[in-house]
Amino acid sequence: MTKPAQDAAPRVARRGLLQTLEIDTRLLGMIGAFLVICIAFQGWTGIRAMAEFTLNPFAWLANGRFLIPQNVFNITIQMVSVAIMATGMVFVIVTRNIDLSVGAMLCLCSALMGILQVTILPKTLGLGIGHPAIAPLAMLAGLALGTAVGAFTGWLVGYQGIPAFIVTLGGLLIWRNLGWYMTSGQTQGPLDSTFILFGGAEGTLGPIWSWVVGLIASALAVLGLMQARKAKERHGFPVKPLWAEGVLAGIACAAILGLIALLNAYEIPAGKLKRLFEARGEAMPDGYTTGFGLPFSVLILALVAIAMTVVAKRTRFGRYIFATGGNPDAAELSGINTRLLTVKVFALMGFLCGLSAIIAQARLQNHTNDIGTLDELRVIAAAVIGGTALAGGIGTIHGAILGALIMQSLQSGMAMVGVDSPFQNIVVGIVLALAVWIDIQYRKRKGIR
Amino acid sequence: MAGIAPNREGTPLVEMRDISISFGGIKAVDHVSVDLYPGEVVGLLGHNGAGKSTLIKCLSGAYQADAGEILIEGQPVQIRNPRDARAYNIETIYQTLALADNLDAASNLFLGRELVTATGLVDDSAMEAETRKIMGRLNPNFRKFKEPVSALSGGQRQSVAIARAVYFNAKILIMDEPTAALGPHETQMVAELIQELKAQGLGIFLIEHDIHNVMKLCDRASVMKNGQLVGTVNVDEVTDDDILGMIILGKKPAHLAA
């Protein structure tokens, strides 16, 4: 027991900074790529914003429009729906499956929730427009439908042995058009006023509560690091030096609070603020301003990210997902019911599609037939850019979310600097292939299969 | 000849009676009966495709026999899947090792039987500590506790598979060619481990191609050919050539045939 600790001691001296911090180099690479994208677009938009061109890069960055609070806010609320589904796609791909039907499932759930809010609940069931039960009932129905459709897909894959590619390719055609049939192709709106709060700009925590959430999140991050250290010490395993833990905790807190500060800095337009006050029957004080703060949808994404990370790393379910992806036969021989596991993984994917449907629909403020079109490709791309291996067994939740963020930043940035639409898609396609190629090279270097 | 002779009176640990299983009309195992006593090592021999692995998979729960019955300590049991087998303290070391390459040693050792904390979350630190304990006994040179097992050598992977079988207080151990991928030094370690487990009263089915290992490690040997049992012999009553004759010709040696 003591031997490994003794061996570790001399090794520390030879270790570099990154090893001491125990940060995954590939995660670092992704963060680096993201920062490069941010800085490049900041400079590029800066050049375009300046009246006269100068050769001073600092002037470019200072005049940039990419990292201003408004754009950061927009990017975060635009990425949420894809990012939520990408966390589920990680599990699907890790178990050596694929789900091509997520965009269609999102559309079907959205269609059901749209009809419930616009027609069935207020009119057919007579609750009346604006009844407080409409939003929760519609959401529960959407989440239940997503889970059921996902479980059915999983049953076809796990118990009937149809390849996931085929089942979900069928689903891609079936679910969206089932939604179309249910709504007769009509746009569903206007939506319930409570429901819309989950879309982004309409529902935010405001500056004070955003700081509270940010501080709680920071405290939890520090607590988590401390607990992990204690667990290691209890069993006498080597731990990293205290300063390294401090640096990590500092980076985590700075990232969380920095994002909160940016979101708070985006001020609600005066006209909108005035309407908010009027809706409450109050008069807006002169010169009153306040920031948006953390949108509910982003808070939901954060909670999903934490929950899915805990599932992946700390539950038996998650352990079995990765074991099955690494070696399905071994998992089966270890007594894992891999068929039921497949059903659960697809059901979870379906649930997350339902959740994304709530957020996507609320953000667009109505249901249309083309909601979530091509989302399957964005979601798969986010998971793969985030380091999920299509061969199975490898993938992380935080990687997938970072992948979604990188894609959304690229698209947003390209739109801002005026890249033509066909080129935007060409760039995203190239980035996807490039990300996987870099990943393969990285694994070869490190000798990981 | 293998150490102390086991006591073959009383109830056998395992009895597989009249087991048959076929795949698409081919009888992979054809009315075969074998048994195993505590503290005994029974070798299962035969050519590739003779049905040894298939027979033993009926006991480990990977396959279900079409006909026949299995008795554990005299009680008839139903083994429908690997979980059932584990519940009867039957542990298997597969020829392929059945390790999830992307997980570390501790996750593989406890796969399907994770240690959990009071809140129901998997307790990785506790599992690593237990893994360090048992590996310290089985393979003291083992160091790679953090790496996925794909990063391990053949012998290290083998020791993870063995540790998994031994850790959970197995009564019946099935080893499918445990030394096939090992060097001489590691083979010797496995041989010593088998002697140690035998002394603890475990029963071991050993599928083995190397006659030399069979003569050294086994108490009895059951030979199969084309899905049928040629015969079971006490290893110290026969020679290498007798067993080879059984494997190749499918006949019991003349002096035992009566």
Side-chain angles (χ1 to χ4, degrees):
Chain A
M1 191 56 47
T2 49
K3 260 200 161 175
Q6 287 169 357
D7 284 356
R11 218 180 290 152
V12 170
R14 279 185 281 121
R15 284 172 144 200
L17 178 67
L18 291 179
Q19 278 89 358
T20 315
L21 289 173
E22 289 177 24
I23 298 178
D24 185 9
T25 32
R26 97 204 290 291
L27 173 66
L28 209 67
M30 277 171 54
I31 294 173
F34 174 63
L35 292 179
V36 167
I37 290 170
C38 288
I39 292 169
F41 280 125
Q42 178 74 359
W44 196 346
T45 50
I47 293 171
R48 287 168 60 91
M50 284 189 293
E52 269 177 68
F53 181 77
T54 64
L55 268 174
N56 179 4
F58 293 104
W60 303 348
L61 291 177
N63 284 296
R65 308 283 300 153
F66 186 77
L67 290 174
I68 59 169
Q70 180 183 359
N71 198 46
V72 172
F73 185 88
N74 284 338
I75 289 176
T76 52
I77 63 173
Q78 283 162 359
M79 70 167 274
V80 170
S81 126
V82 165
I84 287 178
M85 290 191 282
T87 63
M89 189 62 82
V90 170
F91 286 179
V92 172
I93 296 178
V94 163
T95 53
R96 302 189 179 188
N97 289 310
I98 194 83
D99 194 338
L100 300 173
S101 66
V102 292
M105 281 200 281
L106 181 145
C107 177
L108 177 66
C109 296
S110 171
L112 176 71
M113 291 188 292
I115 299 173
L116 282 172
Q117 284 172 76
V118 175
T119 321
I120 297 181
L121 290 172
K123 295 181 184 151
T124 318
L125 294 179
L127 289 180
I129 302 276
H131 191 282
I134 288 179
L137 284 176
M139 286 177 191
L140 279 179
L143 293 173
L145 179 65
T147 311
V149 169
F152 177 63
T153 305
W155 177 76
L156 289 175
V157 175
Y159 283 90
Q160 300 306 311
I162 314 175
F165 186 90
I166 300 301
V167 176
T168 59
L169 188 60
L172 171 83
L173 295 170
I174 296 167
W175 308 126
R176 177 176 302 280
N177 289 294
L178 190 59
W180 190 342
Y181 176 76
M182 280 162 54
T183 58
S184 314
Q186 287 171 341
T187 297
Q188 301 292 311
L191 301 179
D192 182 79
S193 56
T194 317
F195 194 96
I196 284 179
L197 294 181
F198 290 85
E202 296 301 320
T204 56
L205 282 174
I208 295 170
W209 285 107
S210 299
W211 282 122
V212 171
V213 169
L215 289 172
I216 292 174
S218 305
L220 288 178
V222 173
L223 209 68
L225 284 171
M226 274 165 57
Q227 279 199 328
R229 187 185 173 85
K230 265 190 199 151
K232 280 186 178 176
E233 278 176 340
R234 197 164 53 235
H235 293 286
F237 300 157
V239 289
K240 49 193 142 174
L242 211 52
W243 66 263
E245 304 267 17
V247 167
L248 280 184
I251 292 173
C253 294
I256 294 169
L257 297 175
L259 177 66
I260 297 283
L262 269 172
L263 295 174
N264 279 342
Y266 178 32
E267 291 188 348
I268 301 178
K272 184 173 177 176
L273 208 51
K274 210 170 176 182
R275 283 198 300 278
L276 283 175
F277 272 92
E278 281 164 6
R280 274 184 283 166
E282 296 167 31
M284 189 172 89
D286 274 343
Y288 179 86
T289 58
T290 187
F292 275 96
L294 187 68
F296 292 136
S297 60
V298 177
L299 184 61
I300 291 174
L301 171 62
L303 294 176
V304 167
I306 293 168
M308 292 291 279
T309 304
V310 169
V311 168
K313 294 199 184 289
R314 299 294 311 275
T315 65
R316 288 185 161 177
F317 176 52
R319 187 62 45 88
Y320 296 168
I321 286 171
F322 281 84
T324 304
N327 187 344
D329 296 333
E332 188 80 47
L333 292 172
S334 300
I336 296 167
N337 188 341
T338 52
R339 295 171 167 204
L340 185 61
L341 189 85
T342 305
V343 175
K344 288 182 186 167
V345 166
F346 275 96
L348 180 59
M349 182 77 251
F351 173 84
L352 293 171
C353 289
L355 191 58
S356 284
I358 295 173
I359 287 160
Q361 187 186 54
R363 185 168 75 83
L364 301 172
Q365 303 205 355
N366 54 46
H367 162 79
T368 55
N369 284 321
D370 67 345
I371 193 170
T373 302
L374 291 184
D375 267 8
E376 52 283 337
L377 301 183
R378 293 192 191 101
V379 167
I380 293 168
V384 169
I385 289 176
T388 310
L390 283 170
I394 297 166
T396 59
I397 301 298
H398 58 256
I401 293 173
L402 202 49
L405 182 62
I406 286 175
M407 293 229 309
Q408 189 60 50
S409 304
L410 265 180
Q411 275 190 320
S412 166
M414 285 190 293
M416 287 177 85
V417 297
V419 174
D420 286 340
S421 189
F423 285 111
Q424 290 186 22
N425 286 332
I426 289 171
V427 169
V428 172
I430 292 172
V431 166
L432 178 61
L434 192 68
V436 175
W437 180 76
I438 292 173
D439 198 42
I440 290 170
Q441 298 303 318
Y442 170 78
R443 284 181 212 277
K444 266 191 196 159
R445 282 265 164 90
K446 297 259 299 191
I448 317 165
R449 253 191 336 112
Chain B
M1 309 297 136
I4 331 130
N7 178 10
R8 273 200 292 275
E9 287 157 22
T11 330
L13 204 50
V14 181
E15 264 189 281
M16 299 181 78
R17 285 187 192 157
D18 227 12
I19 301 286
S20 293
I21 181 167
S22 35
F23 297 107
I26 296 165
K27 286 198 167 174
V29 176
D30 192 2
H31 297 284
V32 173
S33 300
V34 290
D35 57 4
L36 177 69
Y37 286 83
E40 186 185 36
V41 180
V42 171
L44 284 173
L45 290 86
H47 284 305
N48 289 330
K52 323 172 291 278
S53 287
T54 312
L55 173 71
I56 224 64
K57 278 182 176 170
C58 296
L59 184 62
S60 68
Y63 295 149
Q64 273 202 75
D66 299 332
E69 58 177 346
I70 299 174
L71 287 82
I72 306 286
E73 293 176 320
Q75 300 297 316
V77 297
Q78 291 288 327
I79 298 176
R80 291 185 202 84
N81 53 47
R83 263 163 296 164
D84 290 350
R86 285 181 164 189
Y88 292 113
N89 296 322
I90 301 168
E91 295 288 338
T92 311
I93 299 163
Y94 293 96
Q95 198 175 358
T96 58
L97 302 184
L99 298 173
D101 278 341
N102 54 336
L103 302 183
D104 60 15
S107 300
N108 269 292
L109 205 157
F110 286 93
L111 191 56
R113 294 178 281 207
E114 287 76 10
L115 300 179
V116 292
T117 60
T119 45
L121 299 174
V122 295
D123 193 342
D124 282 315
S125 303
M127 291 196 283
E128 188 182 331
E130 288 298 302
T131 307
R132 283 178 188 267
K133 271 186 215 160
I134 186 150
M135 293 310 269
R137 203 156 65 81
L138 290 179
N139 185 355
N141 296 323
F142 192 92
R143 284 284 179 277
K144 295 184 170 175
F145 290 99
K146 293 287 182 200
E147 282 89 343
V149 294
S150 60
L152 307 184
S153 71
Q156 289 169 332
R157 289 161 59 83
Q158 185 83 42
S159 54
V160 175
I162 292 175
R164 174 166 66 183
V166 175
Y167 178 81
F168 294 94
N169 300 318
K171 275 191 207 157
I172 301 148
L173 195 58
I174 300 166
M175 300 173 109
D176 194 348
E177 295 202 46
T179 57
L182 301 185
H185 176 68
E186 288 155 327
T187 303
Q188 183 56 35
M189 265 175 42
V190 172
E192 282 164 17
L193 178 71
I194 289 176
Q195 294 298 349
E196 191 189 321
L197 296 173
K198 207 171 116 89
Q200 290 172 14
L202 274 77
I204 300 174
F205 275 123
L206 182 66
I207 297 179
E208 185 60 76
H209 274 297
D210 188 337
I211 297 288
H212 178 71
N213 279 340
V214 173
M215 299 303 285
K216 196 172 78 174
L217 297 171
C218 298
D219 300 297
R220 285 187 295 155
S222 294
V223 179
M224 290 179 70
K225 189 177 166 71
N226 299 333
Q228 288 172 327
L229 185 70
V230 176
T232 302
V233 294
N234 286 330
V235 167
D236 40 12
E237 292 171 10
V238 292
T239 63
D240 297 19
D241 288 342
D242 290 336
I243 292 183
L244 275 175
M246 290 170 78
I247 294 172
I248 296 165
L249 303 171
K251 281 182 191 155
K252 269 188 131 178
H255 69 276
L256 294 172

